[in-house]
């Protein structure tokens, strides 16, 4: 079913147009709570159609849109693609955004998010060198711009990559560095995420008691939430 805006929205700014459309997409289907495996063809079609309408609704290369606004549009689109497992499209948005990393915007913190998202996509593809490269860039920029939470996220992402390479010791070092930052920030979700990563590494090492300890610590922090990490941790506990 095509999405449409009321007449009084037709002259709205491009950024707000995208925002309104995004809300409309999410209100039609709370697909974030449904496992991808169970999606019907009709749901897949709706997702693709919704994203196409988002991209068609605005020219994100419009010179009238300020560069930072354009970057925010790329971020919103890349995240939407990623959430719906359209990873190649998400990566295209990331690469387009990174073309803006020059001049006054060269060290803007928004690029940390793009590096982290690119790293997550490459992790799914098991392109581990690319994961580490993107994580390093995110870490470097997060330190330069004093973004401790994103610094911790970069360390955790890099730790995940080293876990996949089989270097458990390096992975544990990185995850514990990430954990220290999250604990200092009192970032509950960040702490729970790293606990889950630590559990996974210890599971790889066949240290079942340590793995169980960290999975339980993770679950205790997020059990009352609807975060997407919950089913992953429950699966590990099972």
């Amino acid at each position: 079913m095509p999405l449409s805006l009321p007449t009084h929205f037709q002259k709205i700014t491009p950024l707000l147009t995208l925002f309104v459309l995004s809300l409309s997409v999410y209100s039609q289907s709370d697909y974030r709570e449904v496992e991808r495996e169970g999606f019907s063809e009709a749901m897949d079609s709706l997702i693709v159609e919704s994203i196409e309408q988002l991209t068609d609704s605005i020219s994100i290369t419009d010179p009238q849109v300020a560069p930072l606004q354009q970057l925010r549009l790329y971020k919103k689109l890349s995240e939407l693609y990623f959430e719906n497992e359209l990873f190649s499209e998400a990566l295209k948005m990331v690469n387009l955004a990174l073309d803006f990393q020059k001049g006054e915007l060269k060290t803007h913190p928004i690029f940390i998010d793009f590096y982290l998202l690119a790293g997550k996509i490459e992790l799914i593809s098991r392109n581990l060198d690319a994961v580490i490269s993107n994580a390093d860039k995110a870490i470097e920029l997060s330190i330069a711009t004093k973004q401790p939470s994103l610094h911790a996220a970069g360390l955790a992402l890099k730790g995940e990559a080293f876990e996949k390479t089989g270097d458990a010791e390096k992975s544990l070092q990185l995850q514990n560095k990430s954990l220290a930052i999250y604990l200092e920030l009192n970032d509950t979700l960040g702490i729970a995420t790293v606990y889950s990563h630590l559990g996974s590494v210890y599971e790889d090492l066949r240290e079942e008691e340590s793995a169980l300890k960290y999975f339980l610590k993770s679950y205790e922090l997020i059990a009352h939430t609807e975060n997407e990490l919950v089913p992953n941790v429950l699966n590990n506990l099972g």
Side-chain angles (χ1 to χ4, degrees):
M1 178 179 177
L3 298 172
S4 59
L5 290 172
T7 302
H8 61 279
F9 278 127
Q10 290 179 0
K11 295 183 179 179
I12 205 165
T13 65
L15 183 61
L16 186 55
T17 301
L18 181 59
F19 177 70
V20 172
L21 282 169
S22 299
L23 292 179
S24 180
V25 171
Y26 282 118
S27 67
Q28 288 191 42
S29 173
D30 193 7
Y31 45 74
R32 287 172 294 180
E33 297 182 2
V34 184
E35 291 185 359
R36 179 70 184 181
E37 185 178 344
F39 275 2
S40 66
E41 289 186 5
M43 183 65 74
D44 286 336
S45 177
L46 173 61
I47 291 167
V48 173
E49 179 184 346
S50 298
I51 291 174
E52 287 177 347
Q53 289 172 354
L54 279 173
T55 55
D56 289 344
S57 70
I58 179 174
S59 171
I60 50 183
T61 57
D62 189 333
Q64 294 183 348
V65 181
L68 188 55
Q69 287 181 308
Q70 293 184 49
L71 285 171
R72 288 171 178 152
L73 297 178
Y74 282 126
K75 185 173 181 289
K76 185 178 291 292
L77 285 168
S78 63
E79 290 171 346
L80 183 57
Y81 281 126
F82 182 79
E83 288 169 6
N84 293 289
E85 301 185 9
L86 297 170
F87 302 125
S88 62
E89 295 302 321
L91 197 55
K92 287 179 184 178
M93 292 294 106
V94 169
N95 290 330
L96 286 170
L98 292 176
D99 286 340
F100 283 78
Q101 196 174 17
K102 54 190 174 183
E104 294 181 358
L105 286 175
K106 186 175 179 62
T107 58
H108 196 284
I110 196 170
F111 292 110
I112 305 171
D113 292 317
F114 288 116
Y115 285 130
L116 291 173
L117 183 56
K120 291 176 184 178
I121 296 169
E122 299 292 4
L123 186 66
I124 292 168
S125 303
R126 299 188 70 87
N127 188 356
L128 301 182
D129 287 341
V131 179
I132 294 171
S133 175
N134 279 291
D136 281 339
K137 291 173 183 176
I139 292 168
E140 180 181 1
L141 187 52
S142 65
I143 293 173
T145 56
K146 299 180 180 180
Q147 303 289 325
S149 180
L150 296 176
H151 181 193
L155 290 167
L157 177 61
K158 189 174 180 179
E160 286 187 89
F162 275 100
E163 179 190 354
K164 300 297 183 185
T165 68
D167 192 340
E169 182 178 353
K170 182 68 173 177
S171 180
L172 288 174
Q173 290 175 356
L174 289 162
Q175 295 297 352
N176 280 311
K177 286 181 180 180
S178 175
L179 179 61
I181 297 173
Y182 280 134
L183 286 170
E184 186 174 347
L185 296 172
N186 196 28
D187 185 328
T188 301
L189 180 57
I191 295 167
T193 300
V194 174
Y195 281 156
S196 177
H197 292 331
L198 287 168
S200 180
V201 177
Y202 281 113
E203 190 173 53
D204 293 341
L205 293 171
R206 299 186 183 281
E207 296 185 24
E208 301 301 335
E209 288 187 9
S210 294
L212 179 60
K213 178 183 75 172
Y214 282 108
F215 286 139
L216 285 172
K217 286 164 72 76
S218 178
Y219 182 68
E220 287 170 1
L221 290 173
I222 57 174
H224 62 288
T225 74
E226 297 182 358
N227 189 272
E228 60 185 13
L229 183 61
V230 175
N232 293 333
V233 175
L234 285 174
N235 182 59
N236 287 319
L237 287 171

